[in-house]
């Protein structure tokens, strides 16, 4: 799903070892979850949820979503909204008072989707390769 | 510094207990650092740096910056650039291939500052209180 994506198709690889190593690293970090959605035994959706404590906003703990993907044949069926409901429930259970994410400006449909779920596009997301 | 800020002055509190609890939580999480800059014994700058492993971008580990603040009397002296050089060095040392942050749209000077350091405003940052 990461590779079968408008932006991901040019930037993912076929060497699985690096992904397995990252999966182990996520597990070791704690509070860094990879959630998959199954339908009749097939993995059809995935997202990453990370809990980050911090001092800002009266020491509000944040939950952050990355890498939201739905398998192409299963888009438009409400799986995205179901994933976000799941993420919000997990974030509340972990004591988070804020859910945050960034989306590439090129993902125009994603932007209206997030606004429809009550997310405010208040910030600009900057990235720099190291 | 969090309270003495154009956005923070209305949203921070004076009850220190909640901040101390969050500080302990940050320490427990690991890979979630609060960096302070000192000048002649005074704390004059701070930022939060979090390392997040994940599967996207060929399993690139990311570093994320939050809560960048410089004490008012010390702005305009290059401390911001020094903090970002420090953050990038720490991120590389932790095996991160990407540094990311979001900034509120209202922080216009911050935006040109980040662009000047080589950060690309490729994303839109969404937030939702829980």
């Amino acid at each position: 799903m990461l590779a079968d994506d408008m932006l991901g198709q040019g930037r993912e690889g076929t060497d699985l070892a690096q992904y397995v190593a990252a999966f182990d690293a996520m597990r070791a970090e704690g509070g860094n979850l990879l959630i998959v959605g199954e339908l009749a035994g097939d993995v059809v959706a995935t997202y990453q949820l990370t809990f980050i404590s911090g001092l800002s906003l009266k020491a509000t703990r944040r939950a952050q979503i990355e890498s939201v993907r739905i398998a192409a044949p299963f888009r438009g069926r409400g799986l995205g909204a179901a994933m976000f409901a799941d993420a919000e429930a997990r974030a509340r259970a972990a004591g988070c008072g804020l859910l945050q994410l960034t989306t590439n400006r090129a993902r125009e449909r994603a932007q209206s989707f997030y606004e429809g779920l009550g997310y405010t596009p208040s910030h600009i997301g900057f990235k720099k390769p190291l």
Side-chain angles (χ1 to χ4, degrees), chain A residues 16 21 46 49 95 100-101 119:
Chain A
L16 285 183
T46 184
L49 185 63
Q100 63 185 26
L101 63 100
Y119 290 78

Side-chain angles (χ1 to χ4, degrees), chain A residues 69-90:
Chain A
R69 300 287 187 278
I70 296 170
F74 297 94
R75 291 174 193 159
R77 300 187 188 187
L79 291 183
M83 277 203 293
F84 272 76
D86 178 70
E88 291 175 11
R90 290 176 191 269

Side-chain angles (χ1 to χ4, degrees), chain A residues 9-62:
Chain A
Q9 56 187 308
R11 65 188 190 193
E12 297 299 338
T14 53
D15 173 13
L16 285 183
Q18 60 193 342
Y19 293 99
V20 172
F23 185 78
D24 289 340
M26 290 177 69
R27 197 149 46 180
E29 279 166 18
N32 189 2
L33 308 172
L34 185 70
I35 312 292
V36 296
E38 287 187 0
L39 210 60
D42 291 323
V43 172
V44 298
T46 184
Y47 74 92
Q48 179 180 357
L49 185 63
T50 310
F51 305 130
I52 306 172
S53 295
L55 301 191
S56 294
L57 296 170
K58 293 184 182 169
T60 295
R61 194 177 203 205
R62 299 156 190 251

Side-chain angles (χ1 to χ4, degrees), chain A residues 75-115:
Chain A
R75 291 174 193 159
R77 300 187 188 187
L79 291 183
M83 277 203 293
F84 272 76
D86 178 70
E88 291 175 11
R90 290 176 191 269
R92 283 194 194 94
C96 297
L98 185 71
L99 214 155
Q100 63 185 26
L101 63 100
T102 71
T103 188
N104 193 291
R105 288 181 188 277
R107 299 190 193 275
E108 292 179 13
R109 289 179 57 191
Q111 292 165 35
S112 47
F113 170 73
Y114 296 135
E115 290 204 58

